[in-house]
Amino acid sequence: MNLFDVYPLYNITPVKAVDCTITDDKGIDYLDLYSGHGVISIGHTQPDYVAKIKNQLDQLSFYSNAIQNPLQVELAQKLGKLSGLEDYSLFLCSSGAEANENALKLASFHTNKSRIIAFDNSFHGRTSAAVAATDNKKIVAPLNAQQAVTFLPLNQIELVEAELEKGDVCCVIIEGIQGVGGLDEGTTAFFQALEKVCKTYEAVLILDEVQSGYGRSGKFFAFQHHGINPDIITTAKGMGNGFPIGGVLISPKFVASYGLLGTTFGGSHLACAAGIAVLDVIENQKLIDNVNTVSAYFFEAIKQIPEIRKVKGKGLMLGVEFDFDVAALRKKMIIEKHIFTGSANNKNLLRILPPLTINKEGIDTFIIALKESLVELK
Ligand code: PLP
C-alpha cells in the first residue's frame, strides 16, 4: 500500500532528536526552530517526560473514560494552577481540531443558536465541524446544514457587532495569535470589545490557543496579554510535546451533563502522563521566563538584518517577514544550513516556533545562517 500523497516532503529522514537538535539517518544535525508546527514545547526527548511515559506504559496505557482515571484529575489541577484558570473545567480529547469541534458543539448547545463567526486567514482544523480558511480560500464544513460560518476581517469590531445583532450567532472563534495564516493577531482593544459584544448578544467567545498556548506567546495563553476571560479555550500542540492530546477549557457558566461530550482516546492514561510531564517541566524549568528572555534577544538580534520588513507575533511564536517569497530561503536554510523553520499562507513569512527551551546561542546560529543565506541568494 502507498501513502496517500498529500504532503510535499523534503528529502530528510529524522531518526533521533534531543532538545532543539534533530539528527537524520545520515548523521546530520539540524537546529529545530519549528517544533513540527509548534508541537515540541519542552524539547525533544526531555528525560523526565520520557521516563514518565515509559513508566506509565509499563503500568496502564489506556482504559475507558467511563472508569475513574485520577491522572485526568491531576492534569486538570496542574493545568488550572499553571494557567491561572482554576475555576474552568477541562474536557480532554486528542487533537486541536477535535478540541475546536467540541468547543463549537458546546457553544451551539449552550445558546441554542448555530452560526459561527471566524476571521479571515484563521485556521481551526480539518475535521467536518472545524472551520478552516487556507490560502484565502474559505473551506467551510458546517456541523449541519444550519451551522454556517461567516468570516470577517480581524480588528473590525463594528462588523462583528453587525453580525451578532442578527441574533443567530452561537459563537465567535479566534486564535490568540494566528498561526498558519501568518501571525496576525487581534489588538487588545479588539479582544476586549469582542468579549463585551459576545456578552451583550449572548454569543460564546472561543479562544483557539491550539498553537499559541502553553507558554509559546510568553504568557501561558496568548489571550492573557489582553486581560480578557474567554468562555471556552482550546489547546493541543504543545500540550503533549508530541504525544497527541487536546483540551477544551470551559468556564463555569457551562453546565456539564452526562453524554454531552465524549471521546474514546481523549484523556488516556498515557496521554495524561505526557500532559502532566509537560506541565511539570514548564513549571520546574521556568520555561515561560525563558520564552520572554530569548524572545527579547531575538527581536534585538534580528535588527542586524536590513532585508527584514517586520517581525510579527509574540514570545516564541514569530513570523519574520521579507518583501519577497521566502520559499528558496527556507529551503536553503534547511538543506544547506541545517535549520528547520516554517512557512505560512503569507508567502513572504518565515515562521519561527522553536522548542521553548531554545537558548540565545540557538538564535545566534539562526541569525548567522540567515545573513549568509541572504547574501548567497543575491
Ligand atoms: N487550531 C489552530 C490554531 C491550529 O494551528 C491547528 C493546527 O495547525 C488546529 C487548530 C488543528 O489542530 P490539529 O491539527 O491537531 O487537529
Side-chain angles (χ1 to χ4, degrees):
M1 188 186 286
N2 289 324
L3 294 174
F4 195 54
D5 190 13
V6 291
Y7 300 112
L9 298 178
Y10 281 110
N11 189 18
I12 295 170
T13 308
V15 289
K16 200 173 169 317
V18 177
D19 197 14
C20 300
T21 304
I22 295 175
T23 309
D24 75 3
D25 56 352
K26 299 179 185 72
I28 299 171
D29 285 343
Y30 294 80
L31 175 64
D32 184 9
L33 295 187
Y34 190 53
S35 304
H37 314 293
V39 166
I40 300 301
S41 46
I42 59 170
H44 291 275
T45 56
Q46 202 283 340
D48 299 338
Y49 166 87
V50 173
K52 180 124 187 145
I53 293 178
K54 278 187 178 162
N55 181 46
Q56 189 60 46
L57 199 53
D58 280 342
Q59 295 179 49
L60 175 66
S61 56
F62 172 82
Y63 206 67
S64 152
N65 269 317
I67 302 285
Q68 303 245 8
N69 177 355
L71 293 173
Q72 292 191 355
V73 179
E74 185 182 343
L75 175 57
Q77 284 173 352
K78 285 211 159 117
L79 178 53
K81 182 170 156 247
L82 242 73
S83 65
L85 300 171
E86 272 160 314
D87 57 338
Y88 284 59
S89 306
L90 177 65
F91 175 76
L92 286 163
C93 56
S94 305
S95 73
E98 195 188 352
N100 284 333
E101 195 167 310
N102 281 292
L104 297 175
K105 255 189 189 177
L106 271 180
S108 190
F109 295 155
H110 185 72
T111 58
N112 218 11
K113 297 186 275 190
S114 62
R115 194 154 63 93
I116 298 164
I117 303 289
F119 294 92
D120 292 344
N121 265 321
S122 58
F123 184 83
H124 300 293
R126 297 183 200 249
T127 61
S128 65
V131 189
T134 48
D135 286 332
N136 289 325
K137 274 186 274 151
K138 279 145 197 176
I139 305 164
V140 178
L143 255 184
N144 57 47
Q146 277 81 45
Q147 197 161 26
V149 182
T150 304
F151 289 88
L152 298 174
L154 269 178
N155 293 323
Q156 296 198 26
I157 196 65
E158 53 304 332
L159 297 184
V160 179
E161 187 156 16
E163 293 301 327
L164 292 176
E165 271 171 1
K166 296 176 186 169
D168 60 345
V169 172
C170 70
C171 67
V172 175
I173 182 165
I174 181 168
E175 286 156 87
I177 300 170
Q178 288 190 341
V180 180
L183 281 298
D184 285 327
E185 56 185 309
T187 61
T188 293
F190 182 68
F191 274 110
Q192 292 186 354
L194 212 50
E195 182 182 42
K196 199 162 155 225
V197 291
C198 282
K199 272 205 180 76
T200 307
Y201 296 99
E202 292 175 359
V204 171
L205 178 57
I206 303 173
L207 253 293
D208 179 343
E209 295 273 357
V210 165
Q211 193 166 142
S212 54
Y214 265 71
R216 186 154 287 285
S217 76
K219 295 207 182 268
F220 196 91
F221 288 118
F223 75 79
Q224 292 170 323
H225 289 278
H226 306 298
I228 59 164
N229 296 301
D231 300 308
I232 299 180
I233 301 143
T234 55
T235 175
K237 296 192 189 288
M239 190 174 184
N241 202 48
F243 198 100
I245 179 169
V248 188
L249 281 69
I250 304 159
S251 85
K253 73 157 97 159
F254 293 83
V255 181
S257 61
Y258 295 150
L260 187 69
L261 305 176
T263 172
T264 298
F265 292 118
S268 75
H269 296 70
L270 213 46
C272 287
I276 291 166
V278 166
L279 290 171
D280 284 343
V281 174
I282 289 178
E283 185 176 30
N284 297 339
Q285 297 191 5
K286 299 190 173 36
L287 288 186
I288 300 183
D289 290 349
N290 188 59
V291 170
N292 288 309
T293 306
V294 177
S295 177
Y297 186 78
F298 184 95
F299 272 93
E300 211 36 55
I302 207 87
K303 287 182 188 157
Q304 304 166 34
I305 304 181
E307 289 90 340
I308 292 170
R309 193 201 280 168
K310 197 175 176 188
V311 180
K312 297 165 90 177
K314 285 189 171 68
L316 293 177
M317 182 164 177
L318 300 168
V320 179
E321 193 171 32
F322 295 85
D323 53 15
F324 55 86
D325 185 327
V326 297
L329 176 62
R330 181 167 169 254
K331 188 168 178 193
K332 192 177 190 56
M333 292 289 281
I334 298 176
I335 305 295
E336 294 175 26
K337 308 295 174 187
H338 303 146
I339 299 178
F340 281 110
T341 60
S343 62
N345 289 348
N346 174 350
K347 303 275 179 253
N348 293 359
L349 206 78
L350 213 52
R351 272 163 81 208
I352 308 294
L353 295 123
L356 309 184
T357 52
I358 188 88
N359 57 21
K360 292 178 183 172
E361 288 72 47
I363 302 304
D364 290 340
T365 304
F366 169 68
I367 299 285
I368 292 166
L370 185 56
K371 277 186 188 164
E372 287 173 2
S373 300
L374 287 166
V375 170
E376 288 160 17
L377 281 170
K378 268 193 184 138

